[in-house]
Amino acid sequence: MGSFFSEGDGTDRGYVNVRDAADGICADGRAYTELLWRRFSDFADSQFLREAKDNFTERFWEMYLGCTLIDCGYEIGTPGDEGPDLFTHVIDKFFWFEATASSAGTKDDQVPKPTVGEAGFVPEDKILLRLTNAIDAKLRQIERAQERGIVSERDGALVCINGRQIPNTTVDAVPPLIVQAVLAIGNPQITLDRYTMQVISSGFEKRPHLKKASGTEISTRGFVDGSLARISAVIYSHVDCVNHPPRLGDDFLCVHNPYAIHPLPIGFLGRGVEYWVQEDNKLMSKDFSVK
């Protein structure tokens, strides 16, 4: 099996810092990474360890996702060097998992880094653009894999996003931005009686689209209008080898697609928090994490 880490040049400073740490949290992160690698190594493709040197967060995320599925009792498999990252059986159907670690982006739509020592605001629209971009990119990969016969039209698919490399995402919104990215909703709102100040109704703002710096509108209605029906659910996490929960997967935010061609049962993982929409269009959630 060997070690996850190896000597030699790599462009990812995180990889190098964790590999070469003598002590401290980076050394702890290295030990945790090696622990996961012992469970995942049989499922890694031939380029996995080489690519980790240049994209540590994404490869770690793929491994963490696979280990979580194993920890939840699922048998996982991989298609080799081509196709989505992982697959498993849920009840009587194959489900494919496409993992990605979003970046801050580039040019005018780039998510800015916070300025140390200064108050500021979280650029939610720019973060949402990174999430919608990741979902669209992975949907296209799933569709190409289906055209090549790797994925069947009878299989479900999930897009799994790690946001660790996106600035300003340490503290999430309410509801979480991954929910807002696919269900066309924004911030919480309430309606008050102007005379009694009693609450008449409560819910969320409607936000059906985002606007890029160029003026192009990007939809957030993918789980509302059926345009993302090929995706059964999206999973979001902020995990890395240093920042992780005691139990695998309790960091997950999973959003079920109410119009999915191949829906997943609520609680299929039993980890983290799952979100879904009831028939009356009410957003529901359940926290499965260990407290």
Side-chain angles (χ1 to χ4, degrees):
M1 176 185 68
S3 172
F4 179 94
F5 296 95
S6 62
E7 297 300 321
D9 295 335
T11 61
D12 192 312
R13 290 303 308 170
Y15 178 94
V16 175
N17 291 341
V18 170
R19 182 194 64 192
D20 297 344
D23 52 30
I25 59 172
C26 284
D28 293 340
R30 182 177 65 244
Y32 186 71
T33 302
E34 296 289 10
L35 180 67
L36 296 187
W37 178 241
R38 288 199 290 271
R39 301 183 72 178
F40 185 75
S41 59
D42 289 343
F43 306 102
D45 62 50
S46 64
Q47 301 302 311
F48 188 88
L49 293 181
R50 182 191 63 78
E51 292 176 353
K53 290 186 174 185
D54 299 324
N55 200 339
F56 181 37
T57 299
E58 188 157 283
R59 295 285 77 79
F60 175 86
W61 168 231
E62 180 183 336
M63 178 171 65
Y64 181 89
L65 175 65
C67 289
T68 299
L69 291 171
I70 294 170
D71 205 54
C72 290
Y74 291 108
E75 294 184 5
I76 67 171
T78 59
D81 291 349
E82 298 183 2
D85 298 307
L86 304 165
F87 65 80
T88 192
H89 249 102
V90 180
I91 306 177
D92 59 349
K93 191 181 296 293
F94 273 111
F95 282 88
W96 295 84
F97 293 75
E98 268 284 13
T100 185
S102 295
S103 68
T106 59
K107 299 181 180 178
D108 293 337
D109 291 312
Q110 182 175 358
V111 182
K113 293 182 179 180
T115 302
V116 178
E118 293 185 11
F121 68 95
V122 176
E124 291 188 355
D125 280 13
K126 290 182 181 293
I127 296 172
L128 285 166
L129 285 171
R130 300 309 302 149
L131 299 179
T132 55
N133 179 74
I135 293 168
D136 289 343
K138 286 302 179 181
L139 173 61
R140 290 193 294 272
Q141 289 188 19
I142 292 165
E143 291 172 338
R144 287 195 294 270
Q146 183 171 319
E147 291 170 358
R148 295 161 61 191
I150 300 171
V151 173
S152 168
E153 64 180 10
R154 299 184 297 275
D155 300 340
L158 292 85
V159 173
C160 307
I161 304 171
N162 184 295
R164 173 57 64 176
Q165 298 180 119
I166 306 175
N168 290 286
T169 55
T170 303
V171 179
D172 210 334
V174 177
L177 293 179
I178 190 62
V179 176
Q180 299 184 34
V182 291
L183 290 175
I185 59 178
N187 297 313
Q189 64 179 13
I190 61 172
T191 302
L192 300 175
D193 184 295
R194 63 185 299 181
Y195 300 107
T196 66
M197 299 305 292
Q198 296 297 310
V199 175
I200 298 173
S201 63
S202 62
F204 301 99
E205 298 173 338
K206 292 183 178 179
R207 181 162 49 188
H209 63 264
L210 306 162
K211 188 169 288 188
K212 299 181 70 172
S214 64
T216 303
E217 290 188 350
I218 303 298
S219 173
T220 59
R221 293 174 51 83
F223 279 13
V224 177
D225 61 13
S227 60
L228 293 178
R230 188 67 185 85
I231 298 175
S232 305
V234 292
I235 291 175
Y236 176 83
S237 172
H238 205 249
V239 73
D240 63 23
C241 69
V242 171
N243 302 280
H244 55 82
R247 187 174 71 160
L248 288 162
D250 273 348
D251 50 294
F252 284 4
L253 301 177
C254 177
V255 188
H256 291 261
N257 187 348
Y259 293 101
I261 299 170
H262 305 293
L264 281 158
I266 306 300
F268 77 102
L269 281 176
R271 304 289 169 96
V273 183
E274 294 190 25
Y275 295 85
W276 69 95
V277 177
Q278 288 192 154
E279 291 182 359
D280 59 359
N281 289 325
K282 184 178 181 181
L283 179 66
M284 304 295 294
S285 66
K286 185 172 181 178
D287 189 344
F288 293 93
S289 61
V290 173
K291 301 303 182 183

